[in-house]
Structures are given as structure tokens and as C-alpha cells.
Amino acid sequence: MKYSKIIKDFLEKKKYSQINLKAALFDMDGVLYDSMKNHAVAWCNSTKAFGVNFNKEDAYLHEGRTRISTINWAYQRQYDRDATEEEIENIYELKESEYNKFPDASPMIGTSKVLEKIKENDLTAIVVTGSSQESLLDRLENDFPNTFQGESMVTAFDVKHGKPHPEPYLMALKKGEFKPQEAIVIENAPLGVESAVAAGIFTIAVNTGPLDDQILLDAGANLLFHSMESLANEWEKLYNALNETKI
Ligand code: CA
């Protein structure tokens, strides 16, 4: 019941008659992989080394931004100016090496279950990430076999604007030839939620980090779960409501 009411409100607001679900768009860090805590530490260590203030909460609040945008944000707050190219390069290089000190992040608990259900429902699963890791597809194939295709994936290489701009999610729709009302998004970060909402897609927040739920709801999330596991447990009910609710 509660899902159909939420979906109806979404349809009315967007002036869609129904969701004709064909695709599920997944953010990567904090959704597919339990990697955000490592990214947060790497950001804190690398900014600190150059005297730039940036704490863990900042890392979670700005998750999803491009590297340039994140570093410029910190410089604007502290110095009222953008960072120079050299400053960006220095911090980001150190951030990468700090991040790489950690072992590969594990898949988020419950994510494989969600992906299995998505496949059972014949939905296309697409990754939409601001990451620019070269070997991403191999890693995804290894951890989630036969789930994601390289040609539909959206990474930092595919877009001009990062989240919270809608371009990453609009690009995923374009690549897969889907309409906004034929997809859902699963996101953990406020800026990722903003991006998906701005692309006109029904957005499910999974709050896997330390931020208040309200921050994700204020960003526009239509629904919120506290783990991928709880999304997996609710999937059948939600899937039915997504398909059956019409206005
Ligand atoms: Ca994320």
C-alpha cells in the first residue's frame, strides 16, 4: 500500500501515466561496493597533507562530484577561490594513492541479492558512476557475473558534468534508449539523488553511510532504505507496485 501511494505521488508530479520498468540504474561507491569509508579517509588524508580543511562528513556530503569540483569546493570554502590545476593534481594524486593503500572494497552486503532479482525480472542493470577507474568493468564482471555491459555503463569518461548535474543519468537513459519513466535509480549520496531526480527518474536512496536520512529525502529521494539487504527483502512488493500503479 505505502509504495503505491508514493509511486502515485511521483507519477502525478512528473505527469507520467505509469512506470513501465525496464532498467535499474545503480550508482557504484556506497551502493555496489562498500567503498565510501575508504574514499572518505583518503580524501581527509590527502587534503590535510596540503593544509586544506575537509572532514569525513564533507566527503559523504560531496560524494559523486568530480574530483575537480570537490577540490574547488574545499578551496572556495577556505580561500574564496578555485584551486589551481597544480593544487588539484597534487591533492588528487595523493587521494588516489591513499585510496589504493586499502584492499579492494567488498561488494555491499545485499547487493548481489538485489541484482539477482533485477535479472529475474528481465530488467537491464546499468552502472552510473563518477569514477574513472580503468579496470572497472573487469571488476564488476568478477564480483557480479553477467550483470553489467560495458557499452551501457556511464563513467567519468562519458560526461562533461558530474553529479548533481542530471547528465550522468540522462546519458545512461540515452545509451540504453530508455525513457525516464522506464527506469529506477539506486543511489546512496545526496548529490547522486539530486542528479537522478533532475533526470526525472524514480529514485531509491539506500543510506549506507553516516548522513541523516533527511538529507537524502531533502535531496528528493522518493523512497529510502537503510541497506541493500532491506531493499532486496522488499523488492517483490516494490516491483509489483512499480508495475501496477497507474494514474
Ligand atoms: Ca555513491
Side-chain angles (χ1 to χ4, degrees):
M1 270 312 269
K2 66 168 186 168
Y3 294 136
S4 60
K5 168 82 172 76
I6 290 164
I7 295 161
K8 218 170 210 175
D9 288 347
F10 170 79
L11 295 174
E12 274 164 8
K13 193 171 163 209
K14 301 304 295 182
K15 300 191 168 55
Y16 301 149
S17 60
Q18 66 179 102
I19 293 174
N20 179 15
L21 195 57
K22 295 178 179 172
L25 315 185
F26 290 86
D27 167 58
M28 185 173 75
D29 291 299
V31 171
L32 299 181
Y33 290 104
D34 191 8
S35 46
M36 259 316 289
K37 52 185 191 287
N38 299 351
H39 280 294
V41 171
W43 272 119
C44 289
N45 291 350
S46 59
T47 46
K48 197 175 170 194
F50 291 95
V52 177
N53 303 325
F54 196 86
N55 62 28
K56 275 190 195 167
E57 194 183 10
D58 294 329
Y60 281 94
L61 281 172
H62 292 276
E63 181 189 349
R65 271 193 206 284
T66 61
R67 66 183 80 169
I68 297 172
S69 167
T70 304
I71 296 167
N72 279 338
W73 177 86
Y75 270 79
Q76 282 292 349
R77 182 174 65 171
Q78 194 167 337
Y79 302 111
D80 282 322
R81 65 164 176 89
D82 280 350
T84 63
E85 265 183 45
E86 196 189 349
E87 286 163 340
I88 290 170
E89 189 99 331
N90 286 341
I91 291 180
Y92 200 72
E93 209 171 281
L94 184 57
K95 192 255 165 179
E96 284 290 87
S97 84
E98 287 289 309
Y99 183 76
N100 289 332
K101 284 183 190 167
F102 291 105
D104 277 351
S106 317
M108 192 65 83
I109 293 168
T111 291
S112 291
K113 266 195 225 167
V114 172
L115 292 171
E116 280 313 310
K117 288 170 194 268
I118 296 277
K119 277 197 268 184
E120 278 167 29
N121 293 139
D122 283 326
L123 303 179
T124 303
I126 300 176
V127 177
V128 182
T129 175
S131 169
S132 50
Q133 281 173 263
E134 300 281 350
S135 57
L136 198 57
L137 192 61
D138 291 343
R139 206 159 153 231
L140 288 168
E141 192 52 39
N142 185 54
D143 292 324
F144 312 107
N146 307 314
T147 306
F148 298 106
Q149 279 82 42
E151 62 268 25
S152 59
M153 189 160 84
V154 175
T155 71
F157 299 114
D158 298 289
V159 293
K160 199 164 144 218
H161 306 284
K163 301 169 187 176
H165 196 281
E167 191 186 357
Y169 283 108
L170 290 175
M171 182 62 75
L173 295 175
K174 192 178 162 195
K175 280 191 172 194
E177 297 182 357
F178 297 113
K179 295 184 186 125
Q181 63 270 40
E182 292 174 341
I184 53 170
V185 167
I186 295 101
E187 259 288 352
N188 74 308
L191 299 183
V193 168
E194 275 182 41
S195 166
V197 168
I201 308 170
F202 189 87
T203 304
I204 300 167
V206 180
N207 192 4
T208 59
L211 299 178
D212 282 349
D213 290 347
Q214 198 56 45
I215 295 177
L216 290 159
L217 295 170
D218 289 346
N222 300 103
L223 263 180
L224 184 140
F225 293 93
H226 289 113
S227 65
M228 290 300 278
E229 188 100 61
S230 50
L231 172 59
N233 293 338
E234 285 293 299
W235 177 256
E236 281 81 9
K237 260 192 259 171
L238 177 58
Y239 178 74
N240 290 337
L242 285 166
N243 274 321
E244 287 161 12
T245 309
K246 295 182 174 97
I247 56 168

